[in-house]
Amino acid sequence: MALPVPVVRWVTVSRKGKEKETAAMSASPATEYGVLVGDPPLVSFGWGDLLLQYAATFAQQIRATLFQELGYRASAGVSYNRFLAKIGSGLNKPDQQTVILSSQAESFLYSYPVTNIPSLGGKLGALVENAFGAQTAGDLMNHTVDQLALKLGPEQAQFLYNRCHGIDDSPVEDSKEPGTLTSAKNFMRFPVESLSKLDRWISMNSVDLWTRVIEEWEMRKRWPRSLTISFTPRGQNQRSKTTAFPLRLAKGAQNSPDALAAAVRMCLSTSDTEADSAGRGRPPRHQSIPMTQTSGMFPMIGFSLTAKSFQRELASASMMERWLIRPRNNA
C-alpha cells in the first residue's frame, strides 16, 4: 500500500486555522522555517518538500544555538542540492535563512546574475558574458548543451547548463583535513597605527587560532609546525613572515594562547627592529620581510595568523614528551 503524499505547510497556522497575514502577504514569505524565495505556495506537497522542512528546522536550531551559546548570528541556505543551498545562505544575511524549493528553483535563477553563481565569478563568468551576451541565468536557459559547447567545450558547457537549471549532483561529504587554519582581522575602516595598538588584536587572534588548533588536535591528533604572520600596510601589498608554531605541551605545562601570542609579538618586534636597522643603513638580520623604515608596517589595514604544516603525532611522541617534562633533581 502506497503512503499518502505529505502535505507541507510553510506558514504557522493558528488554532482557528487562519494563516498568519504577514507570511501570506509577503512577496518572499518569511516563515518560521525561513524566507521562501520566488512565489512559492504556502502549502506544498511531496516527500522532497517535507525533507526540506525538516532540514530548515534543523538549520534554525543550529543558528539559535550559535547565538545562545556564543553570541554569533548566522545565515543559512536550505535546498535540495549543495549549489542552491550555498546561494541561499548568502541571500538574507546576517540573521536569517533561505529556503529554495524545487518548484521555484528555475524561476528564481532566471533573474539571478551569472557572475554571482558559484564558480562563475572569475574568468569563466567573464567568458560566458562575452560569448553569449548573458547577464542572468535566464539568458542561457534556452541554450542546449551542444550550443553552449560550441564556445565553451563539452565539460564547461555541461557545468554551465546544470548551474543555470539548478542541477547539482555533487554529494555532501565530510570535511577534509584542513591544510591551514587562519584567523584574520580587517582594519580597512580604522587602520592600526602602531604595534602597541595592534597588541589587543594579537591577543584576540591568538586565542581564536589557538582554540581552532586545539579542536584540530582533539579531533585528528594533528599539530601545526609553522606559523605565518601576515599584514597589509595601507597602499601596499601584503607581507608575511613564517616562524615556528609553539609546541604542544602536556597538561601541567604552559599550554595556552599566551605562548602563541608571545611568538607573534616576538616575530613582529623582530620585523620592526629589522626595519629600523635597514632605515639607518645597517643590514637587517633577516630578509623575509623587506622594509625600509620602522613605520613601514603602519598604518596597517589587514592582519592574519595562519597555522600550517600540520603533522600527526606518533604514539612514541607522547612518551618522549613525558620524558622531556619530567621533574628533575637539582643535584
Side-chain angles (χ1 to χ4, degrees), residues 53 60 69 81 107 135 167 199 213 228 234 252 265 271 315:
Q53 191 175 82
Q60 192 77 277
E69 297 186 5
N81 62 42
S107 61
Q135 298 297 316
I167 301 171
D199 194 69
V213 167
T228 296
R234 185 168 58 190
R265 292 186 182 102
S271 298

Side-chain angles (χ1 to χ4, degrees), residues 105-176:
E106 285 205 9
S107 61
F108 163 71
L109 289 171
Y110 191 86
S111 58
Y112 197 75
V114 170
T115 53
N116 285 0
I117 295 176
S119 301
L120 289 176
K123 293 181 179 180
L124 179 56
L127 174 61
V128 169
E129 283 186 322
N130 294 331
F132 300 97
Q135 298 297 316
T136 69
D139 295 334
L140 297 165
M141 285 184 177
N142 291 329
H143 290 70
T144 65
V145 175
D146 291 338
Q147 290 172 334
L148 296 174
L150 293 176
K151 296 182 178 180
L152 299 177
E155 185 175 341
Q156 290 185 335
Q158 187 65 62
F159 173 82
L160 180 61
Y161 180 90
N162 289 347
R163 285 291 186 263
C164 291
H165 291 269
I167 301 171
D168 179 18
D169 297 327
S170 60
V172 176
E173 300 174 336
D174 291 337
S175 59
K176 299 179 180 179

Side-chain angles (χ1 to χ4, degrees), residues 113-257:
V114 170
T115 53
N116 285 0
I117 295 176
S119 301
L120 289 176
K123 293 181 179 180
L124 179 56
L127 174 61
V128 169
E129 283 186 322
N130 294 331
F132 300 97
Q135 298 297 316
T136 69
D139 295 334
L140 297 165
M141 285 184 177
N142 291 329
H143 290 70
T144 65
V145 175
D146 291 338
Q147 290 172 334
L148 296 174
L150 293 176
K151 296 182 178 180
L152 299 177
E155 185 175 341
Q156 290 185 335
Q158 187 65 62
F159 173 82
L160 180 61
Y161 180 90
N162 289 347
R163 285 291 186 263
C164 291
H165 291 269
I167 301 171
D168 179 18
D169 297 327
S170 60
V172 176
E173 300 174 336
D174 291 337
S175 59
K176 299 179 180 179
E177 293 185 348
T180 62
L181 293 175
T182 299
S183 178
K185 179 63 180 177
N186 189 298
F187 308 117
M188 289 293 293
R189 293 184 61 190
F190 304 102
V192 173
E193 300 293 341
S194 66
L195 197 57
S196 60
K197 293 182 179 180
L198 181 67
D199 194 69
R200 67 184 290 255
W201 296 109
I202 292 176
S203 297
M204 294 175 68
N205 284 75
S206 294
V207 169
D208 177 46
L209 181 59
W210 186 270
T211 301
R212 296 168 63 190
V213 167
I214 290 295
E215 290 175 352
E216 178 66 18
W217 166 257
E218 293 174 347
M219 183 181 300
R220 301 185 178 95
K221 291 292 184 267
R222 300 194 314 148
W223 194 260
R225 293 297 182 265
S226 62
L227 168 69
T228 296
I229 304 161
S230 303
F231 59 88
T232 306
R234 185 168 58 190
Q236 301 180 39
N237 294 328
Q238 185 185 70
R239 306 181 188 182
S240 62
K241 185 171 185 178
T242 299
T243 187
F245 197 94
L247 296 175
R248 188 190 68 84
L249 301 178
K251 293 181 179 179
Q254 184 182 10
N255 196 23
S256 75

Side-chain angles (χ1 to χ4, degrees), residues 10-12 20 22-36 42 92 96-97:
W10 294 99
V11 294
T12 302
K20 287 187 176 180
T22 54
M25 293 175 63
S26 172
S28 294
T31 73
E32 61 182 294
Y33 304 103
V35 176
L36 304 183
L42 298 181
N92 289 286
Q96 183 57 284
Q97 60 189 53

